Amino acid sequence: MSRVLVIGAGGVGSVAVHKMAMNADIFSSITLASRRREKCDAIAASVLERTGVSVETAALDADDVAATTALIEAVKPRLVVNLALPYQDLNIMEACLAAGVNYLDTANYEPRDEAKFEYRWQWAYQDRFREAGLMALLGSGFDPGVTSVFATYTKKHLLDRIDTLDILDCNGGDTGLPFATNFNPEINLREVTAPSRHWENGAWVEGPALAQKQVFDFDQVGPRNMYLMYHEELESLVKFYPEIKRIRFWMTFGDSYLKHLDVLQNVGLTRIDPVMFEGREIVPIQFLKALLPEPASLGPLTRGKTNIGTIASGTKDGARKTVYINNICDHEAAYAETGNQAVSYTTGVPAMIGAALMVTGQWKGEGVFNMEQLDPDPFTDMLNQHGLPWQIHDLDAPLAF
Ligand code: NDP
């Protein structure tokens, strides 16, 4: 029985809090804090209606370390679950250290003026968390998160050696809107407009954004174009699995999404550096975010499925073997259960599971941890029990190229 403080009342925070409330035997008390308290109150009302559980709410600017520390000290949680934006990660980690509380997030820290997607800022907290006897768990979403757990599961149970690993992220959902991002628009656009990068034979290989594609036939979605991209779990997979010769990340995009993205980029609306407008500085991508739909508003509109997984090839008992592990999640089913579409669902459920494993002590340690460092079995069991069932398929060969 444990008290948790969740920070961030977006789509992911909403799913995580709903799922925590559905597991009241693990989470005895939930407080949800975010920049706008009314968003926390709306989620609390939905949770009460769906589960009968009351969630405490609070207004918080998590960029303010002193205010965050004070809230943690007042709530006295066992764990702080950070589901705000990557910009807040270091401030919330600081507040956790000041208040002596464990930490979990789903996305690595990013400075506002650089789209780098690097763990180094958070890995630098290793000694401070270890010396304080606290645990920080990084990247407990789907990707990063479940994809790293699938790789760890593959290594533990399915292959003796992994030679190549491909992560395939397909959102086959359709909102009916001309252009919308399925998680925070600012973070999403920073990610997809960054140069592609993958790991091959001991070095990073960089290329232009979204320049390399191939068609993959996704179960229950159909054939889709998927594009080579950089994604943050590549860095931790490279660190913890130096044996893997090639690690890549692929994400599907429809032609209409890419056409809009092209135009937005060409006119400068995805820029992350400030420009002067009517005598004041504005950051174009932040202005664009204000115009685009909030991910949490897409729930009732989205139809179709996500299909995300890993294809690993290597050897088992001396023979070549390729295994594909994936989860398929239905947008409408996710919405019916939690009021949020599947991209928020597939992130919020793993956040709840990581939190459950930490507060029950099944995952424990002192210092800063990535998902690859922890036993995959309790996590994969909970995925099956809490709405994200996964399957293993044997494939004849690794991904085409
Ligand atoms: P949203 O933009 O929907 O939600 C973010 C929430 O954080 C909003 O409620 C926002 O408040 C709040 N927030 C922002 N700044 C602050 C602040 N300074 N203090 C307090 N609260 C703040 O994003 P999502 O729910 O889609 O995503 C949440 C996180 O999950 C992001 O970090 C995202 O990168 C990550 N993610 C991870 C994935 C994975 O698989 N690992 C996949 C998808 C997302 P307000 O409403 O007032 O703006």
Side-chain angles (χ1 to χ4, degrees), residues 61-127:
D61 176 1
D63 288 323
D64 181 341
V65 177
T68 309
T69 307
L71 181 67
I72 299 172
E73 284 171 346
V75 173
K76 298 189 176 46
R78 192 118 172 230
L79 173 70
V80 171
V81 178
N82 167 18
L83 303 176
L85 296 180
Y87 315 128
Q88 278 81 53
D89 287 5
L90 301 189
N91 288 336
I92 298 176
M93 289 175 87
E94 284 292 344
C96 282
L97 283 168
V101 173
N102 299 310
Y103 170 90
L104 176 151
D105 68 29
T106 65
N108 65 13
Y109 170 72
E110 266 191 77
R112 281 193 162 84
D113 55 354
E114 274 179 281
K116 286 258 183 187
F117 302 99
E118 286 179 5
Y119 277 116
R120 69 183 161 93
W121 288 283
Q122 291 183 278
W123 283 340
Y125 279 74
Q126 170 67 13
D127 289 347

Coordinates of all heavy atoms in Angstrom, one line a residue, residues 61-127:
D61 N 4.0 24.3 -10.6 CA 4.9 24.5 -11.6 C 6.1 23.7 -11.3 O 6.9 24.1 -10.4 CB 5.2 26.0 -11.8 CG 6.3 26.3 -12.8 OD1 6.7 25.3 -13.5 OD2 6.7 27.4 -13.0
A62 N 6.3 22.6 -12.0 CA 7.4 21.7 -11.7 C 8.8 22.2 -12.2 O 9.8 21.6 -11.9 CB 7.2 20.3 -12.3
D63 N 8.8 23.4 -12.8 CA 10.1 24.1 -13.1 C 10.6 24.7 -11.8 O 11.8 25.1 -11.8 CB 9.9 25.1 -14.2 CG 9.7 24.5 -15.6 OD1 10.4 23.4 -15.8 OD2 8.9 25.0 -16.4
D64 N 9.8 24.9 -10.8 CA 10.1 25.5 -9.6 C 10.5 24.4 -8.6 O 9.6 23.7 -8.0 CB 8.9 26.3 -9.1 CG 9.2 27.0 -7.8 OD1 10.1 26.7 -7.1 OD2 8.4 28.0 -7.5
V65 N 11.8 24.2 -8.4 CA 12.3 23.1 -7.5 C 11.8 23.2 -6.1 O 11.4 22.2 -5.5 CB 13.8 23.0 -7.6 CG1 14.3 21.9 -6.7 CG2 14.3 22.8 -9.0
A66 N 11.8 24.5 -5.6 CA 11.4 24.7 -4.2 C 9.9 24.3 -4.0 O 9.5 23.6 -3.0 CB 11.7 26.1 -3.7
A67 N 9.1 24.7 -5.0 CA 7.7 24.5 -4.8 C 7.4 22.9 -5.0 O 6.6 22.4 -4.3 CB 6.9 25.2 -5.9
T68 N 8.2 22.3 -5.9 CA 8.0 20.9 -6.1 C 8.4 20.1 -4.8 O 7.8 19.2 -4.4 CB 8.8 20.4 -7.3 OG1 8.4 21.2 -8.4 CG2 8.5 19.0 -7.7
T69 N 9.6 20.5 -4.2 CA 10.0 19.9 -3.0 C 9.0 20.0 -1.9 O 8.7 19.1 -1.2 CB 11.4 20.6 -2.5 OG1 12.3 20.5 -3.6 CG2 12.0 19.8 -1.4
A70 N 8.4 21.3 -1.8 CA 7.4 21.5 -0.7 C 6.2 20.6 -0.9 O 5.7 20.0 0.0 CB 7.0 23.0 -0.7
L71 N 5.8 20.5 -2.2 CA 4.6 19.6 -2.4 C 4.9 18.1 -2.1 O 4.1 17.4 -1.5 CB 4.2 19.7 -3.9 CG 2.9 18.9 -4.2 CD1 1.7 19.4 -3.5 CD2 2.7 18.8 -5.7
I72 N 6.1 17.7 -2.5 CA 6.5 16.3 -2.2 C 6.5 16.1 -0.7 O 6.0 15.1 -0.1 CB 7.9 15.9 -2.8 CG1 7.9 16.0 -4.3 CG2 8.3 14.5 -2.4 CD1 9.2 15.9 -5.0
E73 N 7.1 17.1 0.0 CA 7.2 17.0 1.5 C 5.8 17.0 2.1 O 5.5 16.3 3.1 CB 8.0 18.1 2.1 CG 9.5 17.8 1.8 CD 10.5 18.9 2.2 OE1 10.0 20.0 2.3 OE2 11.7 18.6 2.2
A74 N 4.9 17.7 1.5 CA 3.5 17.7 2.1 C 2.7 16.4 1.8 O 2.0 15.9 2.7 CB 2.7 18.9 1.5
V75 N 2.9 15.9 0.6 CA 2.2 14.7 0.2 C 2.8 13.4 0.8 O 2.1 12.5 1.1 CB 2.1 14.5 -1.4 CG1 1.5 13.2 -1.8 CG2 1.3 15.7 -2.0
K76 N 4.2 13.5 1.0 CA 4.9 12.3 1.5 C 4.7 11.0 0.7 O 4.3 10.0 1.3 CB 4.6 12.1 3.0 CG 4.9 13.2 3.9 CD 4.7 12.8 5.4 CE 5.1 13.9 6.4 NZ 4.6 15.2 6.1
P77 N 4.9 11.1 -0.6 CA 4.7 9.9 -1.4 C 5.9 8.9 -1.3 O 7.0 9.4 -0.8 CB 4.7 10.4 -2.8 CG 5.5 11.6 -2.8 CD 5.4 12.2 -1.4
R78 N 5.7 7.7 -1.6 CA 6.9 6.7 -1.7 C 7.6 7.0 -3.1 O 8.8 6.7 -3.2 CB 6.2 5.4 -1.7 CG 7.1 4.3 -1.5 CD 7.0 3.5 -0.3 NE 8.0 2.4 -0.5 CZ 7.7 1.1 -0.4 NH1 6.4 0.8 0.0 NH2 8.6 0.2 -0.6
L79 N 6.9 7.5 -4.0 CA 7.4 7.7 -5.4 C 6.8 8.9 -6.1 O 5.6 9.1 -5.9 CB 7.1 6.4 -6.2 CG 7.4 6.4 -7.7 CD1 8.9 6.3 -7.9 CD2 6.7 5.2 -8.4
V80 N 7.6 9.6 -6.8 CA 7.1 10.7 -7.7 C 7.2 10.2 -9.1 O 8.2 9.7 -9.6 CB 8.0 12.0 -7.6 CG1 7.6 13.0 -8.6 CG2 7.8 12.6 -6.2
V81 N 6.0 10.2 -9.8 CA 5.9 9.7 -11.2 C 5.8 11.0 -12.1 O 4.8 11.7 -12.1 CB 4.7 8.8 -11.4 CG1 4.5 8.4 -12.8 CG2 4.8 7.6 -10.5
N82 N 6.9 11.2 -12.8 CA 7.0 12.4 -13.6 C 6.4 12.2 -15.0 O 7.1 11.6 -15.9 CB 8.4 12.9 -13.7 CG 8.7 13.9 -14.8 OD1 7.7 14.6 -15.2 ND2 9.9 14.1 -15.1
L83 N 5.2 12.7 -15.3 CA 4.6 12.6 -16.6 C 4.3 14.0 -17.2 O 3.3 14.2 -17.9 CB 3.3 11.7 -16.5 CG 3.5 10.3 -15.9 CD1 2.3 9.6 -15.7 CD2 4.5 9.5 -16.8
A84 N 5.1 14.9 -16.7 CA 5.0 16.3 -17.3 C 5.9 16.2 -18.6 O 5.9 15.2 -19.3 CB 5.5 17.3 -16.3
L85 N 6.6 17.2 -18.9 CA 7.4 17.2 -20.2 C 8.9 17.0 -19.9 O 9.3 17.2 -18.7 CB 7.2 18.5 -20.9 CG 5.8 18.8 -21.3 CD1 5.6 20.1 -22.0 CD2 5.3 17.6 -22.2
P86 N 9.7 16.6 -20.9 CA 11.1 16.3 -20.6 C 11.9 17.5 -20.0 O 12.8 17.3 -19.3 CB 11.6 16.0 -22.0 CG 10.4 15.5 -22.8 CD 9.3 16.2 -22.2
Y87 N 11.4 18.7 -20.3 CA 12.1 19.9 -19.8 C 12.1 19.9 -18.2 O 13.0 20.5 -17.6 CB 11.4 21.2 -20.2 CG 11.0 21.2 -21.6 CD1 9.7 21.5 -22.0 CD2 12.0 21.0 -22.6 CE1 9.4 21.6 -23.4 CE2 11.6 21.0 -24.0 CZ 10.3 21.3 -24.4 OH 10.0 21.4 -25.7
Q88 N 11.1 19.2 -17.6 CA 11.0 19.2 -16.1 C 11.9 18.1 -15.4 O 12.0 18.2 -14.2 CB 9.6 19.1 -15.7 CG 8.7 20.3 -15.7 CD 8.2 20.6 -17.1 OE1 7.6 19.8 -17.8 NE2 8.5 21.8 -17.6
D89 N 12.4 17.2 -16.2 CA 13.0 16.0 -15.6 C 14.0 16.4 -14.5 O 14.0 15.8 -13.4 CB 13.7 15.1 -16.6 CG 12.7 14.4 -17.5 OD1 11.5 14.6 -17.4 OD2 13.2 13.6 -18.3
L90 N 15.0 17.2 -14.8 CA 16.1 17.5 -13.9 C 15.6 18.2 -12.6 O 16.0 17.9 -11.5 CB 17.2 18.3 -14.5 CG 17.9 17.7 -15.7 CD1 19.1 18.4 -16.1 CD2 18.3 16.2 -15.5
N91 N 14.6 19.1 -12.8 CA 14.1 19.9 -11.7 C 13.3 18.9 -10.8 O 13.4 19.1 -9.5 CB 13.1 21.0 -12.2 CG 13.9 22.1 -12.8 OD1 15.1 22.3 -12.5 ND2 13.3 22.9 -13.7
I92 N 12.6 18.0 -11.3 CA 11.8 17.0 -10.5 C 12.8 16.1 -9.8 O 12.6 15.7 -8.6 CB 10.7 16.3 -11.3 CG1 9.7 17.4 -11.8 CG2 10.0 15.3 -10.5 CD1 8.6 16.8 -12.7
M93 N 13.9 15.7 -10.5 CA 14.9 14.8 -9.9 C 15.5 15.6 -8.7 O 15.8 15.0 -7.6 CB 15.9 14.4 -10.9 CG 15.4 13.4 -11.9 SD 16.6 12.9 -13.2 CE 17.5 11.6 -12.4
E94 N 15.8 16.9 -8.9 CA 16.4 17.7 -7.8 C 15.4 17.7 -6.6 O 15.9 17.5 -5.5 CB 16.6 19.1 -8.3 CG 17.8 19.3 -9.2 CD 19.2 19.1 -8.4 OE1 19.2 19.1 -7.2 OE2 20.2 18.9 -9.2
A95 N 14.2 17.9 -6.9 CA 13.2 18.0 -5.8 C 13.1 16.6 -5.1 O 12.9 16.6 -3.8 CB 11.8 18.4 -6.4
C96 N 13.2 15.5 -5.8 CA 13.1 14.2 -5.2 C 14.3 14.0 -4.3 O 14.2 13.5 -3.2 CB 13.1 13.1 -6.3 SG 11.5 12.9 -7.0
L97 N 15.5 14.4 -4.7 CA 16.7 14.3 -3.9 C 16.5 15.2 -2.6 O 16.8 14.7 -1.5 CB 17.9 14.8 -4.6 CG 18.5 13.7 -5.7 CD1 19.5 14.4 -6.6 CD2 19.0 12.5 -4.9
A98 N 16.0 16.4 -2.8 CA 15.8 17.3 -1.6 C 14.8 16.7 -0.6 O 15.0 16.8 0.6 CB 15.4 18.7 -2.1
A99 N 13.8 16.0 -1.2 CA 12.7 15.5 -0.3 C 13.0 14.1 0.1 O 12.2 13.5 1.0 CB 11.4 15.6 -0.9
G100 N 14.0 13.4 -0.5 CA 14.3 12.0 -0.1 C 13.3 11.0 -0.7 O 12.9 10.1 0.1
V101 N 12.9 11.2 -1.9 CA 11.8 10.3 -2.5 C 12.3 9.7 -3.8 O 13.0 10.4 -4.6 CB 10.5 11.1 -2.7 CG1 9.4 10.3 -3.4 CG2 10.0 11.5 -1.3
N102 N 11.8 8.5 -4.2 CA 12.2 7.9 -5.4 C 11.5 8.6 -6.6 O 10.5 9.2 -6.5 CB 11.8 6.4 -5.4 CG 12.5 5.6 -4.3 OD1 13.7 5.7 -4.2 ND2 11.7 5.0 -3.5
Y103 N 12.0 8.3 -7.8 CA 11.6 9.0 -9.0 C 11.4 8.1 -10.2 O 12.2 7.1 -10.4 CB 12.8 10.0 -9.4 CG 12.6 10.7 -10.7 CD1 11.9 11.9 -10.8 CD2 13.2 10.1 -11.9 CE1 11.8 12.5 -12.1 CE2 13.1 10.8 -13.1 CZ 12.4 12.0 -13.2 OH 12.3 12.6 -14.4
L104 N 10.4 8.4 -11.1 CA 10.2 7.6 -12.3 C 9.8 8.6 -13.4 O 9.0 9.5 -13.1 CB 9.1 6.6 -12.1 CG 8.6 5.7 -13.3 CD1 8.2 4.4 -12.8 CD2 7.5 6.4 -14.1
D105 N 10.2 8.4 -14.7 CA 9.7 9.1 -15.8 C 9.6 8.3 -17.0 O 9.8 7.1 -17.0 CB 10.6 10.4 -16.1 CG 12.0 10.1 -16.6 OD1 12.2 9.0 -17.2 OD2 12.9 10.9 -16.3
T106 N 9.1 8.9 -18.1 CA 8.9 8.2 -19.4 C 9.7 8.8 -20.6 O 9.5 8.3 -21.7 CB 7.4 8.2 -19.8 OG1 7.0 9.5 -20.1 CG2 6.5 7.6 -18.7
A107 N 10.4 9.9 -20.3 CA 11.1 10.5 -21.4 C 12.3 11.2 -20.9 O 12.3 11.8 -19.8 CB 10.2 11.6 -22.1
N108 N 13.4 11.2 -21.7 CA 14.7 11.7 -21.1 C 14.7 13.2 -21.2 O 14.0 13.9 -22.0 CB 15.9 11.1 -21.7 CG 16.1 11.3 -23.1 OD1 15.5 12.1 -23.7 ND2 17.0 10.5 -23.7
Y109 N 15.5 13.8 -20.3 CA 15.6 15.3 -20.2 C 16.0 15.9 -21.5 O 16.9 15.4 -22.2 CB 16.6 15.7 -19.1 CG 16.9 17.1 -19.1 CD1 15.9 18.1 -18.6 CD2 18.1 17.7 -19.6 CE1 16.2 19.4 -18.7 CE2 18.4 19.0 -19.6 CZ 17.4 19.9 -19.2 OH 17.6 21.2 -19.2
E110 N 15.4 17.0 -21.8 CA 15.8 17.8 -22.9 C 15.9 19.3 -22.5 O 15.0 19.8 -21.9 CB 14.7 17.8 -24.0 CG 14.9 16.7 -25.0 CD 14.0 17.0 -26.1 OE1 14.2 17.9 -26.9 OE2 13.0 16.3 -26.2
P111 N 17.0 20.0 -22.9 CA 17.0 21.4 -22.7 C 16.0 22.0 -23.7 O 15.8 21.4 -24.8 CB 18.4 21.8 -23.0 CG 19.2 20.6 -23.4 CD 18.2 19.4 -23.4
R112 N 15.4 23.1 -23.4 CA 14.4 23.7 -24.4 C 15.0 24.1 -25.7 O 14.4 24.0 -26.7 CB 13.7 24.9 -23.7 CG 12.7 24.5 -22.7 CD 11.8 25.7 -22.4 NE 10.6 25.3 -21.8 CZ 10.4 25.0 -20.5 NH1 11.4 25.0 -19.7 NH2 9.2 24.6 -20.0
D113 N 16.3 24.5 -25.7 CA 16.9 25.0 -26.9 C 17.7 24.0 -27.7 O 18.4 24.4 -28.7 CB 17.8 26.2 -26.6 CG 18.9 25.9 -25.5 OD1 18.8 24.7 -25.0 OD2 19.7 26.7 -25.2
E114 N 17.7 22.7 -27.3 CA 18.4 21.7 -28.1 C 17.6 20.4 -28.1 O 17.2 19.9 -27.1 CB 19.7 21.3 -27.3 CG 20.9 22.1 -27.6 CD 22.1 21.6 -26.7 OE1 22.1 21.9 -25.5 OE2 22.9 20.8 -27.2
A115 N 17.3 19.9 -29.3 CA 16.6 18.6 -29.4 C 17.6 17.5 -29.5 O 17.9 17.0 -30.6 CB 15.7 18.6 -30.6
K116 N 18.2 17.1 -28.4 CA 19.3 16.1 -28.4 C 18.9 14.7 -28.0 O 19.5 13.7 -28.4 CB 20.3 16.6 -27.4 CG 21.1 17.8 -27.9 CD 22.5 17.3 -28.4 CE 23.3 18.5 -28.8 NZ 24.5 18.2 -29.4
F117 N 17.9 14.5 -27.2 CA 17.4 13.2 -26.7 C 18.6 12.4 -26.2 O 18.9 11.3 -26.7 CB 16.7 12.5 -27.8 CG 15.5 13.2 -28.3 CD1 15.6 13.9 -29.5 CD2 14.3 13.2 -27.6 CE1 14.5 14.7 -29.9 CE2 13.2 13.9 -28.1 CZ 13.3 14.7 -29.2
E118 N 19.3 12.9 -25.2 CA 20.4 12.2 -24.6 C 20.2 11.9 -23.1 O 19.6 12.8 -22.4 CB 21.7 13.1 -24.7 CG 22.2 13.1 -26.1 CD 23.5 14.0 -26.2 OE1 23.9 14.5 -25.1 OE2 24.0 14.2 -27.3
Y119 N 20.7 10.8 -22.6 CA 20.5 10.5 -21.2 C 21.6 11.1 -20.3 O 21.5 11.0 -19.1 CB 20.6 9.0 -21.0 CG 19.2 8.3 -21.3 CD1 19.1 7.4 -22.3 CD2 18.1 8.6 -20.5 CE1 17.9 6.8 -22.6 CE2 16.9 7.9 -20.7 CZ 16.8 7.1 -21.8 OH 15.6 6.5 -22.0
R120 N 22.6 11.7 -20.9 CA 23.8 12.1 -20.1 C 23.5 13.0 -18.9 O 24.0 12.8 -17.9 CB 24.9 12.6 -20.9 CG 24.7 14.0 -21.5 CD 25.8 14.4 -22.4 NE 25.4 15.5 -23.3 CZ 25.6 16.8 -23.0 NH1 26.1 17.2 -21.9 NH2 25.2 17.7 -23.9
W121 N 22.5 13.9 -19.1 CA 22.2 14.8 -18.0 C 21.6 14.0 -16.8 O 21.9 14.3 -15.7 CB 21.2 15.8 -18.5 CG 21.7 16.9 -19.4 CD1 22.5 17.9 -19.1 CD2 21.5 17.0 -20.8 NE1 22.8 18.7 -20.2 CE2 22.2 18.1 -21.3 CE3 20.9 16.2 -21.8 CZ2 22.3 18.5 -22.6 CZ3 20.9 16.6 -23.1 CH2 21.6 17.7 -23.5
Q122 N 20.8 13.0 -17.1 CA 20.2 12.3 -16.0 C 21.1 11.2 -15.5 O 21.1 10.9 -14.3 CB 18.8 11.6 -16.5 CG 17.8 12.7 -16.8 CD 16.5 12.1 -17.2 OE1 16.3 11.8 -18.4 NE2 15.6 11.9 -16.3
W123 N 21.9 10.6 -16.4 CA 22.9 9.6 -15.9 C 23.9 10.3 -14.9 O 24.4 9.7 -14.0 CB 23.7 9.0 -17.0 CG 22.8 7.9 -17.7 CD1 21.8 7.3 -17.3 CD2 23.1 7.4 -19.1 NE1 21.3 6.4 -18.2 CE2 22.1 6.4 -19.3 CE3 24.0 7.7 -20.1 CZ2 22.0 5.7 -20.5 CZ3 23.9 6.9 -21.3 CH2 22.9 6.0 -21.5
A124 N 24.1 11.6 -15.0 CA 25.0 12.3 -14.2 C 24.5 12.4 -12.7 O 25.2 12.7 -11.8 CB 25.2 13.8 -14.7
Y125 N 23.2 12.0 -12.5 CA 22.6 12.0 -11.1 C 22.9 10.6 -10.4 O 22.5 10.5 -9.3 CB 21.1 12.2 -11.2 CG 20.7 13.7 -11.3 CD1 20.9 14.3 -12.5 CD2 20.2 14.4 -10.2 CE1 20.6 15.7 -12.6 CE2 19.9 15.7 -10.3 CZ 20.1 16.3 -11.5 OH 19.7 17.7 -11.6
Q126 N 23.6 9.7 -11.1 CA 23.8 8.4 -10.6 C 24.3 8.4 -9.1 O 23.7 7.8 -8.2 CB 24.8 7.6 -11.5 CG 25.3 6.3 -11.0 CD 24.2 5.3 -10.9 OE1 23.1 5.4 -11.4 NE2 24.5 4.2 -10.2
D127 N 25.4 9.1 -8.9 CA 26.0 9.1 -7.6 C 25.1 9.7 -6.5 O 25.0 9.2 -5.4 CB 27.4 9.8 -7.6 CG 28.4 9.0 -8.4 OD1 28.2 7.9 -8.6 OD2 29.5 9.6 -8.7

